[in-house]
Amino acid sequence: QVQAVASGGGSVQAGGSLTLSCAASLYTYRGYCIGWFRRAPGKDREGVGAIDSDSRTSYADSVKGRFSISKDNAKTTLYLQMNSLKPEDTAMYYCADTVLDGPDCLSGSWFPNSWGQGTQVTVSS
């Protein structure tokens, strides 16, 4: 399995927006699950949100209402739209894909066994 690759990070001021992209090889599989994760300096990696093959989404409480996950079926690419960014959103962001039932996918409790390339997001105050 080719690991998913996140891209599109950058530097932005607090209150700004960024859109990250995820290229995931399992995207075309039935029952796929795509998760977004981040790791801030000095902190453990945490789940940000997930989308299952029925396009249902879930989000961590810390980003709910500010972040949204969407997909472009024509490009087999997924996106993480991040609005109203805060300095505490500063982190390396990763996406990962797997085959997982909806409830387990959206539970926020799964983490991949390995990580692909992440993308840095820096939010300044």
Side-chain angles (χ1 to χ4, degrees), residues 41-122:
K43 296 187 178 181
D44 292 333
R45 200 173 264 124
E46 64 174 347
V48 174
I51 184 168
D52 69 5
S53 56
D54 291 324
S55 298
R56 294 173 294 190
T57 56
S58 65
Y59 301 94
D61 289 341
S62 58
V63 305
K64 202 170 292 183
R66 300 187 297 121
F67 290 13
S68 64
I69 299 171
S70 62
K71 57 184 181 179
D72 183 335
N73 289 327
K75 297 181 179 179
T76 63
T77 300
L78 293 102
Y79 304 97
L80 178 67
Q81 175 68 43
M82 306 185 295
N83 298 324
S84 301
L85 282 162
K86 304 175 181 180
E88 51 263 43
D89 294 318
T90 294
M92 184 70 77
Y93 283 73
Y94 303 85
C95 62
D97 56 350
T98 187
V99 177
L100 201 60
D101 290 340
D104 290 330
C105 172
L106 302 175
S107 68
S109 62
W110 76 273
F111 284 79
N113 294 324
S114 60
W115 298 93
Q117 177 181 309
T119 187
Q120 178 68 38
V121 172
T122 302

